[in-house]
């Protein structure tokens, strides 16, 4: 492993004054350092920072970025008000990883693309300008939405998909102060710069996750399709919430994972549901637009059908 300096931040000011990589649960950072994908000269432990707690207010719920995924999944407020989020957390990774991983770190986890994690192969996300062998190589698990000629890697977080459906935001702290960014605007499409994955500035960190109040999010669910039930990343997933009154869908939220280069919201599918009865026929018709703009590769064309069926399965589970 590459040699590095290690320090523990005593407060947020000290942390954001550093130039090192932040260490929270370490489930992504340490893994990638061992592989040689990441080679930071400085690592700063932020686990002593006051970034914990789950606070409920009139406007929603605020969650400290250092809260562990397993604690969030078991929290009664989260499970009762935002079941889609609790379910997404519960099917993420293994129990051991969920016990260590922070929610802030989970939102920043890097792609599972094999070419990204193999330092002997080119990868534009790891080394800009080196190429993207996934476009013509092993791309069964890669994205069909939001891709570019530079990158087709999927975003790996289940939790981020649920949070995208809930229209969550993140509060960021850095040298220049604080700012709040909607998750939908936080992530960046790969374009020609897939190495730049989000809006974080140097030495800026996620301090808090903000879930807006959404009473009808109690009627929500997360469906994850994967090759095996234990410890596997999604081939496709769907986070859905429905507001049904008088046998009509008044509002809907639909986001999907495993198919996009970032957690992917589907406003066209949501529009296809609103004002209509919650029937299987309506769900199937609305899901057709989920693949608008999709660009399958040689080995992941099956995701076109899988994406639509996963959305229908999730919606049908709420009836």
């Amino acid at each position: 492993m590459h040699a590095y300096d290690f320090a523990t931040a005593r407060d947020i000011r000290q942390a954001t004054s550093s130039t090192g990589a932040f260490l929270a649960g370490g489930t992504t950072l340490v893994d990638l350092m061992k592989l040689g994908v990441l080679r930071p000269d400085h690592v700063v432990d932020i686990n002593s920072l006051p970034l914990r707690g789950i606070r409920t207010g009139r406007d929603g719920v605020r969650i400290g970025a250092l809260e562990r995924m397993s604690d969030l999944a078991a929290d009664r407020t989260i499970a009762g008000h935002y079941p889609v989020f609790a379910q997404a957390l519960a099917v993420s990774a293994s129990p051991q990883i969920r016990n260590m991983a922070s929610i802030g770190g989970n939102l920043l986890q890097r792609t599972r693309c094999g070419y990204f994690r193999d330092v002997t192969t080119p990868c534009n996300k790891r080394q800009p300008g080196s190429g993207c062998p996934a476009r013509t190589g092993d791309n069964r698990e890669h994205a069909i939405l939001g891709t570019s000629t530079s990158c087709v890697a999927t975003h790996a977080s289940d939790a981020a998909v649920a949070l995208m459906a809930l229209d969550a935001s993140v509060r960021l702290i850095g040298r220049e102060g604080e700012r709040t960014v909607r998750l939908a605007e936080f992530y960046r499409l790969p374009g020609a710069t897939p190495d730049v994955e989000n809006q974080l500035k140097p030495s800026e960190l996620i301090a808090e996750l903000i879930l807006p109040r959404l009473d009808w999010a109690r009627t929500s669910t997360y469906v994850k399709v994967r090759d095996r039930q234990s410890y596997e990343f999604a081939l496709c997933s769907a986070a859905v919430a429905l507001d049904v009154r008088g046998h009509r869908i008044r509002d809907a939220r639909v986001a999907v994972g495993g198919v996009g280069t970032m957690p992917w919201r589907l406003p066209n599918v949501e529009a296809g549901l609103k004002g209509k009865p919650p029937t299987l026929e309506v769900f199937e018709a609305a899901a057709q637009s989920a693949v608008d703009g999709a660009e399958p590769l040689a080995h992941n064309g099956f995701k076109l059908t899988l994406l639509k069926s996963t959305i229908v399965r999730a919606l049908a589970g709420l009836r």
Side-chain angles (χ1 to χ4, degrees):
M1 185 183 291
H2 174 69
Y4 60 91
D5 295 330
F6 182 83
T8 299
R10 294 188 299 271
D11 53 43
I12 290 176
R13 181 176 181 180
Q14 186 180 40
T16 55
S17 298
S18 73
T19 57
F22 294 133
L23 175 70
T27 54
T28 291
L29 177 64
V30 175
D31 194 15
L32 294 180
M33 287 175 66
K34 288 180 178 177
L35 292 171
V37 175
L38 298 180
R39 297 166 61 86
D41 293 324
H42 308 283
V43 174
V44 180
D45 185 341
I46 62 172
N47 283 290
S48 298
L49 301 184
L51 302 177
R52 296 180 185 272
I54 303 171
R55 294 179 290 127
T56 303
R58 291 183 177 180
D59 298 332
V61 174
R62 290 175 176 262
I63 301 167
L66 291 177
E67 282 294 321
R68 270 26 186 182
M69 294 174 66
S70 55
D71 293 335
L72 281 174
D75 184 83
R76 291 185 178 181
T77 298
I78 300 300
H81 292 268
Y82 308 98
V84 63
F85 184 33
Q87 292 167 17
L89 288 163
V91 296
S92 299
S94 66
Q96 294 88 346
I97 290 176
R98 293 198 296 272
N99 287 339
M100 283 297 298
S102 68
I103 185 59
N106 181 267
L107 299 184
L108 297 176
Q109 69 174 295
R110 309 298 299 276
T111 179
R112 303 299 298 188
C113 174
Y115 298 104
F116 171 75
R117 299 173 70 86
D118 181 355
V119 296
T120 67
T121 65
C123 171
N124 288 323
K125 188 180 283 293
R126 176 167 33 80
Q127 185 176 354
S130 62
C132 178
R135 290 197 62 85
T136 55
D138 181 2
N139 50 44
R140 174 178 178 269
E141 298 176 5
H142 287 69
I144 59 174
L145 295 167
T147 61
S148 74
T149 55
S150 297
C151 186
V152 292
T154 56
H155 193 275
S157 172
D158 292 293
V161 178
L163 294 170
M164 189 72 77
L166 295 171
D167 200 20
S169 300
V170 286
R171 184 168 66 89
L172 310 176
I173 296 181
R175 297 172 187 171
E176 300 173 2
E178 298 185 17
R179 59 192 178 117
T180 299
V181 181
R182 289 178 60 226
L183 208 60
E185 296 160 357
F186 178 70
Y187 293 113
R188 293 179 50 149
L189 292 172
T193 55
D195 53 311
V196 183
E197 298 178 335
N198 54 57
Q199 302 287 350
L200 275 179
K201 299 176 181 178
S203 298
E204 198 172 39
L205 54 80
I206 297 178
E208 197 173 50
L209 177 62
I210 304 169
L211 278 63
R213 180 172 177 174
L214 188 68
D215 292 337
W216 51 275
R218 293 173 184 271
T219 308
S220 63
T221 193
Y222 186 74
V223 170
K224 179 177 183 178
V225 179
R226 46 190 166 173
D227 284 327
R228 58 179 182 177
Q229 278 300 103
S230 63
Y231 193 8
E232 186 59 278
F233 293 85
L235 285 174
C236 183
S237 66
V240 303
L242 288 181
D243 181 11
V244 180
R245 304 181 199 181
H247 201 59
R248 291 283 170 181
I249 300 171
R250 294 188 58 177
D251 209 342
R253 298 283 179 84
V254 179
V256 292
V259 292
T261 51
M262 56 180 274
W264 204 262
R265 184 93 175 260
L266 290 169
N268 290 344
V269 175
E270 295 172 359
L273 295 167
K274 293 177 185 176
K276 298 176 182 173
T279 65
L280 186 60
E281 291 75 18
V282 168
F283 298 158
E284 290 174 341
Q288 295 304 309
S289 65
V291 296
D292 290 350
E295 297 184 69
L297 301 164
H299 306 297
N300 68 0
F302 70 95
K303 287 192 175 185
L304 294 171
T305 301
L306 183 62
L307 172 56
K308 291 183 283 188
S309 63
T310 303
I311 293 170
V312 172
R313 177 180 161 192
L315 291 168
L318 294 178
R319 291 197 301 172

